[in-house]
Amino acid sequence: MSAEPSRPTPFTAPRFGVWLIGARGSVATTAIAGCAAVAGGLHPPTGMITETPDFASCGLPPLSSLVFGGHDTVDCPLPKRAEHLAAGGVLPHGLPSAVHAELVAADREIRPGGPLPGDTDGGPDRTDDAWIDAFATDIRDFVRRQDLAGAVVVNVASTEPAPADGSLPPSSLYAAAALRAGCAYVNFTPSTGLHHPALTALAASAGVPYAGRDGKTGQTLLRSVLGPMFAQRALAVRAWSGTNLLGGGDGAALADPAAAAAKNAGKERVLADTLGAAPEGEVHIDDVPALGDWKTAWDHIAFDGFLGARMVLQTTWQGCDSALAAPLVLDLARLAARAQQRGLTGPLAELGFYFKDPVGDGPASLGEQYAELKRFAGRLRDGGGDPGDTGVRADGGTGGGAAGSEAYGTAPGDRAAEDRGPGDGTPGDRAADGPRHGAGDSGGRR
């Protein structure tokens, strides 16, 4: 009797991790719940650019293959946080219970973040490098425990003030940990992250792709469309002023003038880049706790027409910040994972479409940025590196670049970090002194 023909083993897509900084915040919770809802067919992928036809054959990891974890300094479980968001109208009624298992699974993979102001956990002499190593260990353990093909670290924590003394803020500690763990990195916030002089050498040598910063979700999205319109129409903008009314943790975080200044820098850059110079006017951010996760952004644009005729355009944007940001976070995680899988390294300037203050050189108008993004999709489709690179090493680590050459160890070019001081352009042995660090995690809307 002849043997039955062997049946082919069903193909299983590699799974990729999404490690969220601020993993219990509103944006992170909305992204996790939304990913489960879309992957399960409960809701359409509204707002997800990577689910449009232009990205259909780019080899992006399916939403069902994404595994979530992260760092946070708060301990509210994700299911409870999702219930709170549903009560506020951010998540659809009934969704928290429908994706409860996915929320619980992600919550199990969240590890304590830090350092908080005055934090002496681990002793008063705990160095920046010790924090970075601890965070990197958490990420490496997550990848190994879940048997993942790789992971992307995405910062969605609340905005922190820019450091005034040259020290590494929490966002930069997390960014350095991502690179040390050999992971792609995305900064969706205006916080410093990799934009710190002490991390320049590490970013250049780590051999992983990175993108940021400050997700473009509302007011600045409109500015990146209207600015080019005025320039192309040859209308002289005399002044451009704006006001943001928002509540929730983000409103509270941005009540700090230093944090608000970091946020507004990206908004001003868009106008300067699209108009050729920054017009007169400022953006004011007001904390209105009663608004919760909803915000109103108002712009007043004074401009001159033919023969000096004075005119005004006013816009009002009212939206749910988390629902605007979450699909972009999922887009960026998939794009960065695929970029690393294809062997791309360094700044991903083609992702400027998503950011107020993008890395690298690229256009500032939304239309041109979208054209760049579509070209990037073709690059991912046709191969940005070794076409045979699957992103998975034989030992289960992440491929794509020099960081993959050492199994989640200290990043190339920084292997002697523990022996060097701050003058060497690395985290070095600077002692953490507690109060110089901000909270950095989901105290805000992120």
Side-chain angles (χ1 to χ4, degrees), residues 82-245:
E83 291 173 5
H84 174 77
L85 292 174
V90 178
L91 296 180
H93 177 72
L95 183 61
S97 59
V99 298
H100 180 80
E102 289 87 347
L103 292 170
V104 170
D107 197 67
R108 282 198 296 263
E109 293 293 351
I110 297 176
R111 299 296 178 264
L116 291 165
D119 198 342
T120 58
D121 182 32
D125 297 326
R126 188 170 191 176
T127 64
D128 287 345
D129 197 70
W131 282 107
I132 294 168
D133 192 59
F135 294 151
T137 297
D138 288 338
I139 299 168
R140 292 194 300 264
D141 289 347
F142 167 65
V143 171
R144 290 170 177 154
R145 185 169 52 251
Q146 292 288 345
D147 192 24
L148 303 174
V152 178
V153 176
V154 186
N155 183 10
V156 289
S158 53
T159 302
E160 66 188 13
D165 58 359
S167 60
L168 287 180
S171 66
S172 295
L173 300 178
Y174 290 124
L179 270 56
R180 183 170 295 186
C183 296
Y185 171 77
V186 176
N187 186 2
F188 200 75
T189 80
S191 300
T192 303
L194 285 180
H195 282 67
H196 195 289
L199 300 183
T200 301
L202 178 60
S205 64
V208 299
Y210 57 88
R213 62 180 168 169
D214 199 3
K216 187 163 57 187
T217 60
Q219 184 179 42
T220 311
L221 184 69
L222 275 178
R223 288 181 168 208
S224 65
V225 174
L226 295 176
M229 179 200 74
F230 282 107
Q232 292 162 6
R233 184 62 179 79
L235 297 171
V237 175
R238 294 185 293 108
W240 198 315
S241 302
T243 295
N244 270 219
L245 307 177

Side-chain angles (χ1 to χ4, degrees), residues 53-80:
D54 285 328
F55 298 82
S57 57
C58 293
L60 300 179
L63 291 173
S64 58
S65 74
L66 302 183
V67 181
F68 294 91
H71 283 116
D72 211 320
T73 57
V74 302
D75 56 9
C76 177
L78 282 175
K80 181 61 67 176

Side-chain angles (χ1 to χ4, degrees), residues 23 65 85 92 121 132 173 209 236 247 275 288 305 322 335 343 356 389 396 421 425 439:
S65 74
L85 292 174
D121 182 32
I132 294 168
L173 300 178
L275 297 174
V288 185
S322 295
L335 290 165
K356 299 182 183 75
D389 182 13

Side-chain angles (χ1 to χ4, degrees), residues 147-436:
D147 192 24
L148 303 174
V152 178
V153 176
V154 186
N155 183 10
V156 289
S158 53
T159 302
E160 66 188 13
D165 58 359
S167 60
L168 287 180
S171 66
S172 295
L173 300 178
Y174 290 124
L179 270 56
R180 183 170 295 186
C183 296
Y185 171 77
V186 176
N187 186 2
F188 200 75
T189 80
S191 300
T192 303
L194 285 180
H195 282 67
H196 195 289
L199 300 183
T200 301
L202 178 60
S205 64
V208 299
Y210 57 88
R213 62 180 168 169
D214 199 3
K216 187 163 57 187
T217 60
Q219 184 179 42
T220 311
L221 184 69
L222 275 178
R223 288 181 168 208
S224 65
V225 174
L226 295 176
M229 179 200 74
F230 282 107
Q232 292 162 6
R233 184 62 179 79
L235 297 171
V237 175
R238 294 185 293 108
W240 198 315
S241 302
T243 295
N244 270 219
L245 307 177
L246 69 164
D250 201 30
L254 294 174
D256 180 344
K263 183 76 172 177
N264 285 336
K267 294 177 181 288
E268 294 168 1
R269 175 182 169 178
V270 169
L271 294 182
D273 288 349
T274 57
L275 297 174
E280 177 185 322
E282 297 178 346
V283 174
H284 298 276
I285 299 176
D286 293 333
D287 178 25
V288 185
L291 292 179
D293 203 60
W294 303 80
K295 72 175 181 182
T296 297
W298 171 72
D299 267 3
H300 182 283
I301 308 157
F303 63 99
D304 288 343
F306 191 54
L307 303 179
R310 296 292 177 92
M311 298 181 241
V312 169
L313 171 66
Q314 297 185 55
T315 66
T316 302
W317 176 285
Q318 293 178 300
C320 176
D321 226 16
S322 295
L324 289 166
L328 305 186
V329 169
L330 295 175
D331 276 351
L332 287 162
R334 300 173 79 194
L335 290 165
R338 178 59 175 162
Q340 186 166 20
Q341 189 181 44
R342 297 301 296 181
L344 303 183
T345 63
L348 298 177
E350 299 95 334
L351 300 186
F353 176 86
Y354 290 96
F355 300 106
K356 299 182 183 75
D357 187 19
V359 297
D361 296 323
S365 73
L366 193 69
E368 292 177 313
Q369 288 176 335
Y370 185 65
E372 285 285 307
L373 183 62
K374 289 202 294 183
R375 281 192 286 271
F376 184 67
R379 191 177 176 195
L380 296 180
R381 183 182 305 113
D382 301 331
D386 176 8
D389 182 13
T390 63
V392 188
R393 295 199 314 270
D395 62 0
T398 309
S405 65
E406 184 174 350
Y408 301 103
T410 304
D414 196 43
R415 291 183 175 89
E418 294 82 358
D419 300 323
R420 296 197 294 269
D424 299 301
T426 66
D429 282 329
R430 290 188 299 276
D433 56 3
R436 64 185 174 81

